[in-house]
Amino acid sequence: FFFFFFFSQMQRKTFLPSFQLRSFKRYLDDKTKIKEEGKKTINAWEISMINGRKITYDEFWNHYLIPNKPVIFKNLADSWPSYQNWTKKEKKVDNGKEEEILVPNFDHLESKYGHLVAPVVDSPSDGSSLDDYSNSIRTEKSVKSFLSDWKARIEKGEENAKKSWSYLKDWHLVRQVPNETFYTLPLIFSDDWINRYWDSLKGRESLSDDYRFVYMGPGGSSTGFHCDVFGSYSWSTNVCGRKLWILFPPGQEELYMDSNGRMLNNVHQVDENRFKRFREAKSFEVIQEEGETIFVPSGWYHQVHNLRDTISINHNWGNGCNVEGFWKFLKVELKSVEEELATFKEEMGDDEWEKQCKLVLKANSGIDFEAFGEFLKVNGEEFIQRLGEEQVSDEETYHLLFNCLQILDVIEELEKHSKAVKVVEKIRRSSFSNKLKIHLRDKQFQ
């Protein structure tokens, strides 16, 4: 109703100054673009490479966030401590040509982080298939042990794995060394609702998490075909090394699924009896070099291969442009859980069954409807506070207002879902919802 109140006032044009009118019209235009870009002809996509030092947030917003379009940035990581300290220069011969490249500085990494433990994925021990992700094994290993094994393989001339590999991935190094700054979050990725929410839970150990990761692996290691959690965006910077990204635009998901709804896990090993139409899928391949940062948009499935010994820093993140996709992700996940547990409903009774569905949803996805309500609240309160500060530019004001209106829209969508009634009631009872409306009125329409 608040959204339609704005719209009615805009139509009346009786109390909106010109900036407010422009701001709200831009919001409506951006909302339309987000929906229309999802219908864009796949052949119209291209992946650009641009100088990350020169792009403004508004340019990133207009050309990549709103269109949900991938891009590679140069020069975003030049001053990072990790870029300078985790690597060293070394001469290598590549395709008969000698060149100087960055390689892992094993001595520094071991002395700095060797005492820590990190998740490591090992390919099948029998070497049956380099890319058989479904048979790979994830274990917790000491960083020292992982680095020692990696270094030993290089010394034996086995750095480009052909039969087996180990890949340190999804390492929450920021959580393990919270007082160390080994990179700087680029401004264009700073409106990060996901990590802002999980950071707000620090001190509540059972809930605390983050989506900031370090990856380290030899040439030949890889990550299977997937779409990022929550329908989030991701960015990934190569501190050293080279990666091949195979990217699939949204809207083709039925081509990656078999008749049982199971997703393909490797684009190089496709059982065409199961995935009969996969060859119809459109995709893009792009090489990411050392020091480069790739932005992977929401809903883009991808598979990634390390072509050299590679270290990367990655974030999953989201904001007002894809928060509606986050809500859709949760609805789909709950429906999937309910279908899996349907046979137990009569035996459990409705209340217990719904409780178990919520527990499984949170176990599988890391978040449930109630936590999603808190996610909206935590981020909305941040925007309210920022709107109340002095010296906020018109551009930043617009992006803050956009975020607030997106939150209100998602709350309205929550109201339509029978399992989210209590979540919405809790939001409505809190001062957050009213504060949000008051700040929108006072800031945009004073």
Side-chain angles (χ1 to χ4, degrees):
F1 69 92
F2 198 55
F3 179 87
F4 292 107
F5 167 75
F6 283 162
F7 186 69
S8 65
Q9 295 299 334
M10 190 181 75
Q11 287 182 315
R12 286 169 57 194
K13 299 182 181 178
T14 56
F15 79 61
L16 292 184
S18 59
F19 169 69
Q20 288 90 352
L21 266 174
R22 290 197 308 273
S23 203
F24 190 63
K25 285 178 179 177
R26 182 179 172 187
Y27 171 74
L28 294 177
D29 287 344
D30 280 349
K31 287 277 287 188
T32 301
K33 287 176 185 175
I34 288 172
K35 292 178 181 177
E36 291 302 316
E37 289 294 343
K39 303 173 185 176
K40 178 176 281 190
T41 303
I42 289 169
N43 292 332
W45 292 106
E46 60 180 22
I47 300 175
S48 303
M49 180 177 293
I50 61 176
N51 189 335
R53 291 178 181 172
K54 296 183 178 180
I55 190 169
T56 67
Y57 184 80
D58 207 47
E59 288 170 338
F60 178 59
W61 174 278
N62 289 322
H63 298 300
Y64 302 104
L65 272 180
I66 292 294
N68 202 43
K69 182 178 177 180
V71 61
I72 288 183
F73 297 103
K74 298 185 292 184
N75 307 123
L76 282 177
D78 293 357
S79 62
W80 290 3
S82 54
Y83 190 62
Q84 297 165 1
N85 300 327
W86 293 8
T87 65
K88 62 181 182 180
K89 292 182 179 180
E90 192 171 286
K91 290 185 178 180
K92 292 273 188 178
V93 176
D94 188 13
N95 293 324
K97 181 182 177 181
E98 185 178 79
E99 58 181 328
E100 190 174 66
I101 64 172
L102 294 177
V103 298
N105 186 337
F106 291 107
D107 292 340
H108 174 82
L109 292 168
E110 186 173 329
S111 65
K112 190 80 174 176
Y113 309 114
H115 63 289
L116 301 175
V117 173
V120 175
V121 173
D122 294 315
S123 63
S125 58
D126 61 4
S128 58
S129 171
L130 173 65
D131 295 319
D132 193 354
Y133 303 108
S134 60
N135 291 332
S136 60
I137 302 166
R138 182 183 292 256
T139 57
E140 295 287 320
K141 292 185 178 180
S142 75
V143 174
K144 180 178 180 179
S145 173
F146 169 79
L147 293 173
S148 296
D149 291 345
W150 187 4
K151 186 177 179 181
R153 290 184 52 173
I154 292 174
E155 291 171 350
K156 293 177 182 177
E158 299 175 354
E159 65 267 35
N160 289 308
K162 297 299 180 185
K163 293 185 176 180
S164 64
W165 43 260
S166 293
Y167 194 7
L168 186 154
K169 59 191 303 186
D170 301 327
W171 183 19
H172 294 270
L173 182 57
V174 171
R175 280 168 56 189
Q176 292 186 343
V177 289
N179 297 322
E180 180 182 343
T181 302
F182 53 89
Y183 70 102
T184 303
L185 180 63
L187 176 64
I188 54 176
F189 306 136
S190 61
D191 186 19
D192 181 351
W193 294 25
I194 291 175
N195 286 298
R196 182 183 295 125
Y197 167 67
W198 264 277
D199 285 350
S200 75
L201 302 177
K202 284 179 179 176
R204 298 157 67 182
E205 208 50 48
S206 62
L207 299 174
S208 182
D209 202 352
D210 78 329
Y211 288 84
R212 307 175 181 97
F213 307 106
V214 172
Y215 282 54
M216 297 184 179
S221 56
S222 48
T223 298
F225 188 63
H226 69 286
C227 185
D228 288 326
V229 63
F230 309 141
S232 63
Y233 304 126
S234 67
W235 63 261
S236 177
T237 298
N238 281 355
V239 176
C240 67
R242 174 185 288 166
K243 289 187 179 184
L244 167 66
W245 292 76
I246 308 170
L247 299 155
F248 291 73
Q252 311 178 90
E253 290 76 14
E254 73 278 3
L255 303 180
Y256 322 143
M257 293 183 183
D258 65 14
S259 58
N260 296 316
R262 296 184 184 278
M263 189 65 65
L264 178 74
N265 62 26
N266 180 6
V267 300
H268 299 306
Q269 292 183 338
V270 180
D271 182 345
E272 296 192 4
N273 291 320
R274 286 180 60 197
F275 303 98
K276 301 181 186 300
R277 299 180 57 204
F278 177 74
R279 299 303 173 191
E280 299 174 29
K282 304 294 184 182
S283 64
F284 301 87
E285 293 191 4
V286 61
I287 300 292
Q288 178 194 14
E289 301 287 358
E290 62 187 42
E292 294 179 351
T293 301
I294 187 169
F295 166 66
V296 181
S298 177
W300 283 62
Y301 276 81
H302 49 282
Q303 185 162 311
V304 191
H305 297 265
N306 292 326
L307 303 181
R308 288 177 172 166
D309 293 339
T310 300
I311 299 175
S312 65
I313 296 173
N314 313 334
H315 277 209
N316 289 112
W317 63 292
N319 59 25
C321 293
N322 67 345
V323 67
E324 291 167 316
F326 195 161
W327 169 233
K328 289 176 184 176
F329 165 84
L330 273 179
K331 288 191 293 183
V332 169
E333 288 296 298
L334 179 61
K335 183 178 179 181
S336 176
V337 169
E338 289 176 339
E339 289 173 353
E340 288 287 332
L341 299 182
T343 55
F344 302 101
K345 187 172 184 179
E346 185 175 346
E347 179 183 342
M348 289 182 174
D350 289 349
D351 291 344
E352 181 61 26
W353 182 77
E354 286 191 10
K355 181 180 177 182
Q356 290 302 316
C357 287
K358 289 179 182 178
L359 289 172
V360 174
L361 173 64
K362 191 158 190 176
N364 288 351
S365 305
I367 194 168
D368 57 16
F369 282 17
E370 185 174 350
F372 182 68
E374 284 295 311
F375 166 86
L376 297 176
K377 181 173 176 290
V378 164
N379 283 286
E381 287 174 342
E382 171 72 18
F383 308 139
I384 289 171
Q385 179 181 335
R386 190 77 183 102
L387 282 167
E389 295 175 1
E390 297 180 0
Q391 298 180 334
V392 180
S393 69
D394 283 357
E395 278 302 328
E396 185 177 359
T397 296
Y398 170 71
H399 295 303
L400 291 167
L401 292 171
F402 178 94
N403 286 344
C404 291
L405 288 167
Q406 287 291 82
I407 289 174
L408 290 172
D409 277 1
V410 172
I411 291 172
E412 288 188 359
E413 291 300 311
L414 281 165
E415 285 185 307
K416 299 174 186 177
H417 198 289
S418 61
K419 304 296 172 58
V421 173
K422 292 182 180 179
V423 174
V424 176
E425 288 176 353
K426 187 176 179 180
I427 293 174
R428 298 292 190 205
R429 285 197 305 269
S430 72
S431 60
F432 155 70
S433 185
N434 287 330
K435 282 182 180 178
L436 190 55
K437 294 173 185 178
I438 290 168
H439 273 266
L440 282 168
R441 182 194 66 200
D442 291 348
K443 191 70 178 180
Q444 192 178 11
F445 302 106
Q446 58 190 358

